[in-house]
Amino acid sequence: MFMDINVPLKDDNLLVLSFEGSEDKESSPNRFDVGLREAYLDVVSVFGGMKALRLGLIPQTWQEAQYQASNYRFLGRTAWSITEKWKYLSYSDLGASFMSELPADYGEWALSLSNGEGAEEKEKGPHKEAALFVRLFRWSPWSLSFNYVRGNYEVYGESAGLKERIQALISYEEKDDWMVALEFMDAKDPADAIGDYKIAEGVDVSALSGESVQGQAASLYAVVHTGPKAEVMLRYDYLNAAVGETGKNLQTGILALGYQVTDDIKAAIAVDHTHFAEEFAPGVRDRSRVEFAAQVLF
């Protein structure tokens, strides 16, 4: 369950609260937990034009933009942004973000500064990180997005402590007809951080302890409208968790049928399958499942 609450304030400012509940929680003995996902002020009154300053437990701008585009996050973790579902980026963090338009209506950009540990991790040290996001839509129906994240895990030493994310996305959309998008990510992390933060679904990189590990991922998805209320979503995700090593890749396929029940209720039935290579944690197996989910806007 995701629940988003937007509270209008004076002078067009906004308070945003987001809650998440799930049975798939590893950190709690309770079967179903509800916790705070995002909580921030969106301040626009001190600026002119399309500018905003966010303060608080802010979302990752890259993931927020991807969820707005694909609109299938409500299916569950398999359908989340590849950076969130494989834990390369936390969904939110304490910090500040400034957003503005690009000149000549080329698009928009955002600069974020955050603690770097993520919403669910204890702050163990300075570990600050910065992110620059740019989205270009001057050439609509084409859209181009870029994101760069840089930080450090101080606990693993300066030589191998770099945290880096380079991301790009290109999409094409015919409104109310179909859309297709291709996303790419290049990541660098210490091997020890991959294990400690459970990045990449428990891939075994213990033999690379003390070294920097490069990961690469891609996601190709399409949404095709098949009627006034129905649409089909197809998606394929690929991750090479340790470039240059063998047996450390993941592949996920999703097929979903979505239906707009009413203006405020969207439902979907989906089947997904994940293939794990051999170099993953013991007990992890290839898996497939059928899911039913609904999204309610109120």
Side-chain angles (χ1 to χ4, degrees), residues 90-274:
S90 174
Y91 50 80
S92 62
D93 202 357
L94 288 171
S97 177
F98 178 76
M99 305 175 181
S100 182
E101 290 182 309
L102 291 169
D105 294 327
Y106 270 92
E108 58 190 359
W109 65 276
L111 178 63
S112 302
L113 298 174
S114 63
N115 264 323
E117 296 287 356
E120 292 188 341
E121 301 293 336
K122 294 180 179 179
E123 309 299 339
K124 300 175 183 177
H127 191 59
K128 301 298 184 286
E129 71 182 38
L132 177 63
F133 170 78
V134 178
R135 178 160 55 181
L136 307 173
F137 42 76
R138 175 74 180 267
W139 303 279
S140 179
W142 290 97
S143 175
L144 298 172
S145 299
F146 303 93
N147 195 51
Y148 181 71
V149 179
R150 188 179 181 92
N152 282 90
Y153 302 94
E154 286 83 2
V155 68
Y156 305 116
E158 294 184 3
S159 59
L162 174 65
K163 174 183 180 179
E164 187 177 59
R165 308 285 182 263
I166 301 173
Q167 297 161 268
L169 181 140
I170 181 171
S171 66
Y172 181 91
E173 179 177 10
E174 289 288 347
K175 190 172 180 62
D176 298 325
D177 194 0
W178 61 278
M179 67 90 66
V180 63
L182 175 63
E183 178 181 353
F184 173 78
M185 179 196 72
D186 184 271
K188 290 182 181 178
D189 296 274
D192 299 300
I194 291 176
D196 292 344
Y197 290 89
K198 298 180 180 179
I199 298 172
E201 292 276 12
V203 63
D204 184 5
V205 290
S206 55
L208 303 175
S209 180
E211 300 180 23
S212 178
V213 175
Q214 180 183 14
Q216 291 183 340
S219 179
L220 175 64
Y221 59 89
V223 177
V224 181
H225 296 268
T226 58
K229 293 187 175 183
E231 62 188 24
V232 173
M233 189 272 282
L234 293 165
R235 177 169 156 179
Y236 171 74
D237 298 338
Y238 175 83
L239 169 66
N240 184 350
V243 175
E245 302 291 317
T246 59
K248 293 178 170 56
N249 62 289
L250 284 175
Q251 300 178 73
T252 301
I254 309 173
L255 170 63
L257 173 63
Y259 189 80
Q260 197 73 43
V261 182
T262 68
D263 289 341
D264 53 3
I265 300 176
K266 184 175 184 178
I269 185 169
V271 58
D272 69 65
H273 177 74
T274 301

Side-chain angles (χ1 to χ4, degrees), residues 51-77:
K51 297 179 175 65
L53 176 65
R54 289 179 170 180
L55 300 166
L57 189 61
I58 59 174
Q60 288 281 354
T61 309
W62 175 265
Q63 290 168 179
E64 182 182 36
Q66 306 323 312
Y67 292 142
Q68 290 172 350
S70 68
N71 198 30
Y72 270 90
R73 161 176 150 188
F74 69 95
L75 285 178
R77 185 180 175 189

